[in-house]
Amino acid sequence: MLNFYGPDAHLITYPGFPVETATTGWAITQRSSTKDIETWQQMSPFKLTAYREKLVKEFDGWCDEVRFIKGAEKIIKYGLHDRGSLEPEKWVSKGGRCVLVGDAAHPTSPHLGQGANQALEDYWWLAELLPEREECELGSEELSGVFEKFAAIRQSRTAELVKGARV
């Protein structure tokens, strides 16, 4: 993988799989002040040509290695949307029988590669905090207490990672 950083953008490129195909995948992250419409689908040939030309102009003056944009055969525009941190009390339902974990509780951009890691840490903490029992039933108060403790433990750590990825 190669990372390129320049004015108002981050570009990453990586080999396609299987490697024998000699394809290259790449992604560009740019902030947008407009509400660009992401398609989440492959672009039509007409849109592909127009968008590829737009990107070539935007990356003019960057190092020669980013010239692979000119040969793009497929472009999909994804949206990365930011959401502020939830306070720990918002992670637990009003009845205390449901708790948010992973991206539902602390969605993050992919820039630190921590989304899956933080979800796994969430599950580990829940396993640690839930009492060991033969039967599966917990009372609402007991369950609510576990969930509230879990949220209090996890919120500050995940909020810092979300802020870091945002930067």
Side-chain angles (χ1 to χ4, degrees):
M1 290 183 10
L2 292 172
N3 285 283
F4 302 93
Y5 298 92
D8 302 317
H10 167 232
L11 191 145
I12 185 170
T13 181
Y14 47 90
F17 296 99
V19 177
E20 298 81 36
T21 64
T23 61
T24 300
W26 49 274
I28 299 170
T29 304
Q30 295 174 295
R31 289 195 190 275
S32 176
S33 59
T34 62
K35 295 290 181 188
D36 289 342
I37 297 172
E38 62 276 343
T39 62
W40 300 83
Q41 304 174 35
Q42 186 171 334
M43 292 181 179
S44 69
F46 175 76
K47 286 184 180 180
L48 171 68
T49 300
Y51 199 72
R52 184 175 47 222
E53 288 172 6
K54 174 184 176 281
L55 290 175
V56 166
K57 285 179 189 169
E58 286 181 24
F59 287 87
D60 185 44
W62 281 49
C63 61
D64 288 341
E65 285 80 7
V66 301
R67 68 185 172 273
F68 58 79
I69 294 172
K70 293 177 183 176
E73 297 173 3
K74 176 174 148 180
I75 296 177
I76 300 172
K77 186 169 174 60
Y78 298 100
L80 291 178
H81 302 278
D82 204 9
R83 189 186 88 193
S85 296
L86 291 177
E87 293 305 314
E89 58 272 9
K90 298 281 188 181
W91 290 28
V92 181
S93 67
K94 289 183 183 176
R97 301 210 35 95
C98 183
V99 66
L100 298 176
V101 296
D103 280 351
H106 43 80
T108 184
S109 67
H111 301 102
L112 290 180
Q114 287 296 305
N117 294 341
Q118 293 313 299
L120 289 170
E121 282 186 26
D122 286 352
Y123 302 132
W124 184 88
W125 274 105
L126 280 173
E128 282 294 302
L129 294 169
L130 286 167
E132 290 187 32
R133 295 216 174 142
E134 298 257 337
E135 70 274 2
C136 293
E137 239 176 87
L138 293 175
S140 290
E141 282 185 36
E142 188 176 15
L143 194 57
S144 181
V146 167
F147 288 167
E148 288 169 8
K149 186 173 183 178
F150 159 77
I153 290 169
R154 295 293 297 143
Q155 195 275 341
S156 61
R157 173 164 166 74
T158 60
E160 285 303 311
L161 288 165
V162 170
K163 277 188 217 170
R166 186 177 296 132
V167 169

